[in-house]
Amino acid sequence: MALIQFTSKGIYCRQGDFYIDPWKPVKLAVTTHGHADHVKWGNQAYLCHELTKSILLQRLGADLQIQTLPYRQQIDINGVKLSFFPAGHVIGSAQVRLEYKGEICVVSGDYKVEYDGISTAFEPVKCHTFVSESTFGLPVYKWQPQQIIFDQIKDWVAANRDENKTSVLAAYSLGKAQRLIKGLAGYGEIYVHQSIANLNEGFIDAGINLPNTIRITPETKKEDLQRGIVIVPPALTEGRWIKSLLHAATGICSGWMQVRAGRRWRSADAGFALSDHADWPGLLSAIKATTAEKVFVTHGYSAIFSKYLNEIGIAAEEVKTQYGQEEEKEEVL
C-alpha cells in the first residue's frame, strides 16, 4: 500500500493516520512550514520543526497543541518512522521523510536549493517516492546567484537616494523579508511593516539572529523613511499608505520578476528575481538527487514539468492540491 494518498483534505498517510499540510481541519497536521497555503487553523494538533512553532503561534493564535522536532530526529507514529530534513525554503521549513516496512516517501513542501544565508540549507533525501512542487517549473526560470540580485537592489536604492526617493521593497513577510533584512544590513535604516516585525520577534525569541529593524507605526514620520529602506508585504504595494509617501519608488522581490510581464502586472518601478523556490535547474537537480522511482508533482507548472520528467525517464504524475501563490494569500495584520 502506498505511504501517501492525495485526498480532499490534503496529503494523507493512512498507516500513520496523519495529514501533511492539510487544507481542511484534521486530527494531526504535519506541517512543512508556516506559509499560509501550507498551514491552516482548526487542526486538533500540529507537528512541525522547532523553528516553525513561533510562526504558527504568531499566525494562528496561542491556543494550539504543537509538538516540535529538530531536523533528522526520528519519531514513530503508529509504526511510521517520521523525520524532518531541511527544505531551504524559509526558516524552519522541512521536508517530511516517512518510512514504513522499508518503503520511504519524502514530501518536500516548498524548497530551494541555493543556500540563502539564513534558512538551513536544502538537503536531498534518497527515497522511493518524492513529492515536489513546480512553482517555477519552466526552463525560463533560472536564477542568478543571490549576491548579484542584492547588488542590483543596492544599486537601485543608491539611485533612489540620489533622487531623494523612498525605496519601498515588497516581499513576503515570512522568508523573503528576512533575507532582505540580512542582505541589506548596514546599507541604511530598515523600516518594516508590523506583520514582518511580529515574525522577526518570533525568530529572535527562537534564537535566530537578525539585524536591527524599525517597526513602522502610525507615529512613524514619512520624512524619517525618506532616506531609509522600507519593506512591506506585497499586498500593500498598491495601498494608499505607499501612494501617500513622497517620491516613493517600489521594487517587487519575487521569482515572477524573471519575466518582465510580471513587473508590468505589478505596476512596480523595479523588479528583482529573488525567490524562495527552486528554479528549473534546481528542481531537476533536487529530484535526481533523491533517486526516487516515482515523483508526484504539485502546484505550479505541474502538467508541463511532470511531462518533461517522464520524457527524461523519471516516472512522474501531476496531482492537484491547494498549495501555491502564498504571496497572494498572505494576511496583512
Side-chain angles (χ1 to χ4, degrees):
M1 182 185 295
L3 258 178
I4 57 169
Q5 302 172 29
F6 296 89
T7 75
S8 60
K9 291 184 177 181
I11 302 173
Y12 181 55
C13 175
R14 176 173 293 178
Q15 295 88 337
D17 191 22
F18 57 80
Y19 289 79
I20 300 172
D21 291 350
W23 46 81
K24 292 183 180 179
V26 299
K27 182 170 62 176
L28 174 59
V30 178
T31 301
T32 61
H33 64 286
H35 278 154
D37 57 330
H38 284 259
V39 61
K40 304 294 183 182
W41 182 86
N43 299 298
Q44 291 182 31
Y46 297 81
L47 173 64
C48 63
H49 184 267
E50 52 194 6
L51 289 178
T52 300
K53 180 177 180 178
S54 64
I55 299 166
L56 300 191
L57 293 173
Q58 183 70 240
R59 295 196 150 178
L60 302 182
D63 188 21
L64 297 177
Q65 182 180 335
I66 303 175
Q67 180 182 355
T68 65
L69 281 177
Y71 291 126
R72 304 175 193 86
Q73 181 174 309
Q74 191 175 90
I75 62 170
D76 186 292
I77 304 178
N78 301 324
V80 176
K81 298 175 182 177
L82 182 150
S83 52
F84 291 143
F85 285 80
H89 177 54
V90 297
I91 297 170
S93 61
Q95 304 174 81
V96 183
R97 182 187 185 274
L98 309 176
E99 182 177 352
Y100 183 76
K101 295 184 177 180
E103 183 75 15
I104 299 172
C105 174
V106 173
V107 180
S108 61
D110 290 332
Y111 63 92
K112 71 173 178 291
V113 298
E114 181 186 27
Y115 177 53
D116 61 19
I118 188 167
S119 309
T120 306
F122 175 84
E123 184 176 322
V125 183
K126 293 188 180 301
C127 56
H128 300 99
T129 304
F130 185 63
V131 181
S132 175
E133 61 149 304
S134 59
T135 304
F136 293 105
L138 289 178
V140 68
Y141 293 109
K142 184 176 181 180
W143 313 140
Q144 292 181 305
Q146 69 170 354
Q147 188 54 56
I148 292 178
I149 302 298
F150 275 109
D151 287 344
Q152 293 172 354
I153 295 173
K154 290 177 181 178
D155 289 344
W156 178 75
V157 170
N160 289 338
R161 285 176 179 162
D162 290 342
E163 298 176 14
N164 202 32
K165 292 181 179 179
T166 304
S167 297
V168 180
L169 292 168
Y172 192 68
S173 298
L174 171 58
K176 199 82 60 68
Q178 288 75 35
R179 289 176 68 187
L180 286 172
I181 290 166
K182 182 176 177 64
L184 297 174
Y187 206 67
E189 299 282 12
I190 299 177
Y191 294 83
V192 297
H193 183 266
Q194 62 177 349
S195 62
I196 299 171
N198 291 340
L199 285 171
N200 289 351
E201 289 178 359
F203 293 138
I204 293 169
D205 290 343
I208 299 294
N209 291 323
L210 288 174
N212 291 329
T213 58
I214 302 171
R215 179 190 291 264
I216 298 172
T217 69
E219 289 71 41
T220 303
K221 297 178 180 178
K222 292 176 183 178
E223 52 266 31
D224 293 338
L225 303 177
Q226 196 70 44
R227 305 282 300 174
I229 300 168
V230 179
I231 305 176
V232 299
L236 289 183
T237 56
E238 299 295 331
R240 289 180 298 175
W241 183 82
I242 297 297
K243 292 179 180 179
S244 70
L245 291 174
L246 297 174
H247 310 300
T250 304
I252 306 294
C253 298
S254 170
W256 301 115
M257 297 301 107
Q258 180 83 2
V259 180
R260 288 186 177 181
R263 185 173 62 185
R264 291 197 296 271
W265 174 61
R266 288 286 196 176
S267 301
D269 299 294
F272 304 102
L274 185 69
S275 178
D276 284 330
H277 295 265
D279 59 2
W280 174 266
L283 290 168
L284 292 175
S285 66
I287 289 170
K288 290 175 181 178
T290 68
T291 66
E293 299 167 1
K294 180 63 178 286
V295 177
F296 290 104
V297 182
T298 67
H299 53 297
Y301 295 98
S302 50
I304 296 171
F305 190 58
S306 58
K307 181 176 184 291
Y308 179 80
L309 291 176
N310 282 301
E311 288 174 351
I312 62 174
I314 299 173
E317 180 181 338
E318 177 190 13
V319 291
K320 298 296 184 182
T321 65
Q322 293 189 16
Y323 310 132
Q325 297 295 309
E326 66 262 16
E327 292 185 2
E328 299 303 323
K329 296 175 180 287
E330 180 173 23
E331 295 181 3
V332 180
L333 304 176

